[in-house]
């Protein structure tokens, strides 16, 4: 697994915790990403251990994420906020704060969020 992909997945853990609960569907989604990115058993174990403790926006390591990685992260984060069937207010607020932390210009971020939201809503039955 590429280091950048591992950084993106680890940065999704705080998103999963955004509503205060690391739910089973969120865990399954992160596991699916680990499989998709061909994570080793050690990397999977590392992420699962990392996710056991509540993580916040402050735990996202910007230096591990390129500009492109940050945009990919935002799109995955939007999808993750819908995995339980709906996006809650606390998750929307988390995404707004995340956009600021990731230093993505607001018009670009809005476009990414809109696109990812539409995609997530189409996929809701499969999540």
């Amino acid at each position: 697994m590429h280091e950048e992909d591992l950084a993106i997945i680890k940065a999704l853990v705080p998103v999963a915790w955004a509503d205060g609960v690391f739910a089973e569907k969120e865990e399954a989604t992160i596991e699916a990403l680990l499989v998709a990115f061909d994570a080793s058993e050690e990397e999977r174990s590392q992420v699962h251990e990392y996710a056991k403790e509540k993580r916040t926006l402050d735990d996202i390591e910007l230096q591990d994420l390129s500009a492109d990685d940050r945009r990919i992260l935002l799109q995955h984060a939007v999808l993750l906020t819908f995995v339980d069937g709906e996006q809650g207010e606390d998750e929307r607020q988390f995404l707004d704060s995340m956009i600021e932390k990731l230093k993505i210009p607001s018009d670009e971020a809005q476009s990414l969020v809109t696109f990812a939201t539409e995609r997530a809503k189409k996929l809701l039955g499969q999540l």
Side-chain angles (χ1 to χ4, degrees):
M1 174 178 208
H2 296 278
E3 287 180 37
E4 301 84 12
D5 296 333
L6 183 59
I8 290 169
I9 292 175
K10 284 182 78 174
L12 287 171
V13 172
V15 179
W17 278 104
D19 60 1
V21 178
F22 187 65
E24 191 175 310
K25 283 190 173 188
E26 292 162 334
E27 183 177 0
T29 301
I30 288 177
E31 178 62 25
L33 287 169
L34 287 166
V35 170
F37 286 130
D38 200 26
S40 69
E41 199 58 44
E42 180 181 330
E43 290 164 331
R44 289 172 64 197
S45 186
Q46 177 186 357
V47 171
H48 289 294
E49 190 62 34
Y50 179 75
K52 285 181 181 179
E53 185 178 317
K54 183 176 181 180
R55 301 296 174 169
T56 68
L57 204 53
D58 293 335
D59 292 306
I60 297 174
E61 300 290 340
L62 289 183
Q63 71 273 11
D64 296 340
L65 300 165
S66 69
D68 288 338
D69 292 338
R70 293 174 190 197
R71 283 144 181 86
I72 291 167
L73 169 59
L74 178 58
Q75 290 180 50
H76 284 340
V78 171
L79 179 66
L80 189 59
T81 64
F82 278 99
V83 79
D84 60 358
E86 64 182 3
Q87 184 186 65
E89 182 59 32
D90 45 0
E91 292 166 320
R92 281 190 289 279
Q93 289 175 2
F94 186 92
L95 288 173
D96 288 342
S97 297
M98 183 182 211
I99 288 166
E100 286 181 36
K101 178 168 180 106
L102 296 177
K103 298 179 176 147
I104 299 173
S106 61
D107 358 343
E108 182 183 1
Q110 185 57 47
S111 177
L112 291 168
V113 168
T114 299
F115 177 76
T117 297
E118 289 170 6
R119 177 182 283 161
K121 287 180 177 178
K122 286 179 187 174
L123 296 173
L124 273 177
Q126 299 172 22
L127 297 176

